[in-house]
Amino acid sequence: MRTEDPRPIRLKDYTPPAFAIDEAMLDIELDPARTRVHSTLKMRRNPASKETAGPLVLDGEKLKLLEVRIDGELLGPNRYSVDGEHLTIHEVPEGKFTLETVTTCAPEENTALTGLYLSDGIYCTQCEAEGFRRIAYYLDRPDAMTVFRTRITGDRKKTPVLLSNGNPVKSGKTKDGRHFVEWHDPFPKPAYLFALVAGDLAHVEDKFVTMSGREVTLRIFVEKGNEDRCAYAMEALKRAMKWDEERFGREYDLDIFMIVAVSAFNMGAMENKGLNVFNDKYILARPDTATDADYAAIEAIIAHEYFHNWTGNRITCRDWFQLCLKEGLTVFRDQEFTSDMRSRPVKRISDVRLLRAHQFPEDGGPLAHPVRPESYIEINNFYTATVYEKGAELCRMIHTMAGPKRFRKGMDLYFERHDGEAATVENFLDALADGAKLDLTQFKRWYRQSGTPEVLASGRYDAARKTYTLKMSQVCQATPGQPHKEPYHIPVAVGLVGPDGKDMALTLDGEDKPGAKTRVLNLTEREATWRFRNVEAKPVPSLLRGFTAPVKLSANLKERDLVFLMRHDSDSFNRWEAAQRYATGLLVAMVEAEKTGVPARKGGAFAEMVNDLLTAKKIDPDFVAQIILLPSEQTLAQIIGQEVDVDAIHAARERLRASIATQTKDALLAAYTRMEVTGPYRPDADHAGRRALRNVCLGYLSAAPGDEGIALAAGQFRTADNMTDSIAALSVLSNIDCPERREALDAFHERWKGDHLAMDKWFSIQAMSSLPGTLDEVKRLTGHPAFTMKNPNKVRALITNFAAANQLHFHAKDGAGYRFIADKVLELDKLNPQVGARMLGAFKSWRQTEPKRRKLMQKELKRIAGTEGLSRDVYEIATKTLA
Ligand code: TRP
Ligand code: ZN
């Protein structure tokens, strides 16, 4: 155990900072071992603070303090004290004063990748959430906003490019082959949005003319040699800039917008003002190196970070409890952007998939927390699916309730009221309520209560009266610290599908004429009933269309109703949903059969649907690819929910895949041929959709008995002219024990061993293989020259992927998977606690596994929690998971 347990930070303890910073000047002399930072802060007591006396306490970690001055006077050691986390100056002048500190830090030793570090010889910073304190002593909190001036000095050869936020104002040579650039950011910002990048970088340049006619220079900086992989990112950036003007009226505000791609990065990307820093896998793309999924992620993340300029930067967060204020809202905005650029239904399906795969288990497990948490030990642990994805769902619900026009009015008011401020969730909700004319009083509970509400729906048709009565009720299970829940305000979009497969116009009791075919009903009580009139024939209800609320719906529909909806529902999301539910029902029964030996049914309707969809004249390939795909092993484990047996799940799913493939083989083969894309590669939704469907067909064909699938996959691997088809074929082969597998893996390695992003794909495919011996293979690959524990992408590709995406082997009966991951978590705890804590997340479902595995998982969790000197990151996850 730790000698002193770290104490939680609480929302209710919030007070404004005791001091204000009117201006910050940083003079940074770069050096790998000893970077010198001279910080000059113009300060005074904060008029908004109740504290009118007392010391000045600044945050700082891993800094060596050389000098402290106030108004130019050097302070002796009796005037201040320093510990591992703070610099405390016992007394400061009454009015305005200037505080100077000189400190050093060591970028080359920084493996945590927070603060100032080196990524392949490039200096870069990551300051969100609390990294700035590793660069200089500061009020490192988001409500301390100021204007920054930054002067960077570095070696002319090693760091010809010196970047920071805002506009460059001065540059020149200094002595000993060094030079400097001075930057000025006119927009007051918190320290977490500060950034510095320096290195021998190449760049591509373009420009954008804003809606008011201002010309903005756009630059993407990359390692030399990667200039030919930036075109797509640049186009995506311009699309995002245009979209934010059109959809939200938001214009870019500086003369230059820069993006830098680095290979060592803890997350996806970071929205630093005017200088976004990206994990290079979300910038670099060329048809032969990036898959369609990579292209889509690049477009979405570029947009996400760009959109933060308004939702995050211009309006920032008062404190870290308000994280969803910027993240949930910005995810909602990027989801809408992608929906407008690509297929809206397919985007909705993939977002709901993600929500269910990551957020629902979080909400139903030991790490459950509200979208706005009320306490944390380490804020880095709260960049979660709940804050991001559920946070986005909450914005989407407001959008659904208000409709697009009123939602826009609410957003306009939010920007008008709070531009330049550090705001709260209440500020946001008040602006939306006022601007969109909504009552959000009860809705606010969504931000406070954790857990996924369950909605139970049942309908009754009265043929004599021609009425349809829909009853809905809600419950929400207890979550850690929240035994009782108040009812939520849940918007449920509803349609009634007639026997002809067409939507009925809906007339509610008390209305005299029929309304829309999809109506949004507001479930606000624990139970409520709606009655529809003039319902001419018995309908099948289509509930929660478009997934209008992040809830678990049980409608207890009969199998034949699901089959009907998966064929006829006009709401694409619900068509997909019906197919998933049908397949899930089948698979759960098969898993049961796997255990009991009683055979389950064949699931003919699903195969029939696959067959019909594939042979239909007009199809939307991307959507078909989604709807014919079976729920994942993880999804099945979640739905089964207790005493989970991963072997039975794997076996059942493989059997159903084989059975569907056998029943639909001709259609699969025909579609495989028909979907082939000819001509030059294009990453757009149209071509990507065809490739997606073709590769889903390939997957099924490989599950059919016989070697035909192997031959197809091997052939596709050999002839593919793009990474999407190459990786799809390799993934298929990686799960089959055949000579073609090794040949393909070796060929891929031979071709791409010099390309770090392609190598990540090679590692991750092997980590996810279902073949026996995968864990040993993963262990062996940790010794591969391209692998290093110091690069998060490598760690995630090979190890986190194994833990999170290879259910079969992570949960190996003998506990070897658990042991291996626990060892790696402990190793990372010393190098990069953020990445370590995330990997540990794989243990959160330990209570749902069968008793033997449960014990083994608990043992590893205890071993970790009992380790001396743990980081706050890993400590918090380990102890909360066990609690
Ligand atoms: N604000 C970033 C985003 O969502 C997230 C982020 C990037 C981050 N790097 C981080 C969060 C490091 C915590 C730590 O766009
Ligand atoms: Zn974000």
Side-chain angles (χ1 to χ4, degrees), residues 336-638:
E336 282 299 291
F337 169 72
T338 300
S339 306
D340 285 347
M341 296 299 119
R342 293 163 178 254
S343 153
R344 184 166 283 269
V346 170
K347 175 62 175 162
R348 191 63 189 135
I349 290 166
S350 77
D351 287 338
V352 174
R353 262 210 185 105
L354 186 80
L355 186 80
R356 285 177 170 158
H358 299 288
Q359 201 279 323
F360 281 19
E362 196 166 271
D363 237 353
L367 301 174
H369 54 275
V371 169
R372 181 173 63 186
E374 272 152 32
S375 89
Y376 60 77
I377 289 177
E378 171 52 64
I379 186 57
N380 285 329
N381 286 331
F382 285 79
Y383 287 75
T384 59
T386 298
V387 169
Y388 276 67
E389 266 66 47
K390 189 174 178 180
E393 291 300 320
L394 305 196
C395 296
R396 181 171 299 281
M397 282 193 280
I398 298 173
H399 183 267
T400 300
M401 295 187 295
K405 284 213 185 77
R406 278 161 54 206
F407 184 81
R408 170 67 194 268
K409 286 212 167 100
M411 287 297 293
D412 287 350
L413 187 60
Y414 173 59
F415 292 123
E416 199 182 303
R417 278 188 191 166
H418 299 292
D419 185 15
E421 292 179 6
T424 62
V425 167
E426 282 77 13
N427 293 153
F428 172 71
L429 291 174
D430 288 348
L432 268 116
D434 294 349
K437 305 217 178 325
L438 286 172
D439 182 356
L440 297 173
T441 323
Q442 184 185 359
F443 187 81
K444 286 185 182 158
R445 285 179 192 154
W446 280 105
Y447 286 87
R448 253 200 338 259
Q449 296 189 145
S450 54
T452 308
E454 291 160 48
V455 173
L456 191 71
S458 63
R460 202 168 32 87
Y461 181 60
D462 184 331
R465 294 202 172 80
K466 296 198 188 315
T467 58
Y468 185 82
T469 310
L470 177 66
K471 198 162 113 183
M472 290 197 277
S473 60
Q474 57 167 308
V475 288
C476 185
Q477 301 301 322
T479 50
Q482 295 188 349
H484 303 293
K485 314 276 179 179
E486 297 298 319
Y488 291 82
H489 179 170
I490 305 175
V492 184
V494 171
L496 297 179
V497 188
D500 57 355
K502 296 213 169 76
D503 281 345
M504 299 170 161
L506 305 178
T507 319
L508 279 164
D509 244 0
E511 296 174 344
D512 49 346
K513 44 179 197 310
K517 292 175 176 167
T518 299
R519 301 284 292 266
V520 178
L521 308 178
N522 290 292
L523 174 61
T524 53
E525 308 291 315
R526 295 203 189 267
E527 191 179 298
T529 303
W530 289 266
R531 204 164 69 173
F532 297 94
R533 298 194 299 119
N534 304 334
V535 182
E536 294 302 324
K538 187 177 182 200
V540 176
S542 169
L543 305 176
L544 204 67
R545 281 186 159 172
F547 202 71
T548 46
V551 300
K552 292 181 180 164
L553 171 73
S554 336
N556 291 322
L557 289 187
K558 301 220 168 57
E559 209 167 82
R560 72 175 134 76
D561 292 338
L562 291 176
V563 172
F564 179 79
L565 289 179
M566 76 193 196
R567 285 177 174 277
H568 299 296
D569 203 319
S570 66
D571 183 70
S572 305
F573 177 82
N574 264 7
R575 265 185 87 186
W576 171 80
E577 179 78 342
Q580 291 294 296
R581 279 181 194 249
Y582 175 81
T584 303
L586 219 58
L587 282 160
V588 171
M590 288 172 73
V591 171
E592 216 27 59
E594 203 69 37
K595 291 193 203 157
T596 57
V598 185
R601 290 148 312 120
K602 280 261 171 55
F606 197 87
E608 233 173 81
M609 176 195 69
V610 173
N611 201 69
D612 290 356
L613 283 173
L614 291 179
T615 50
K617 278 210 196 70
K618 251 190 73 198
I619 61 168
D620 171 2
D622 213 353
F623 178 72
V624 175
Q626 301 294 328
I627 197 171
I628 70 176
L629 205 59
L630 293 177
S632 69
E633 293 178 18
Q634 274 94 337
T635 304
L636 294 166
Q638 255 182 61

Side-chain angles (χ1 to χ4, degrees), residues 12 33 43 86 116 173 261 325 442 474-475 545 616 621 634 643 654 693 728 739 757 790 807 828 883:
K12 65 171 170 51
M43 302 188 76
H86 300 108
L116 175 65
K173 289 184 182 171
L325 177 70
Q442 184 185 359
Q474 57 167 308
V475 288
R545 281 186 159 172
Q634 274 94 337
E643 309 287 309
E654 285 310 298
L693 179 54
L757 293 177
K790 290 194 176 158
Q807 168 168 295
L828 280 164

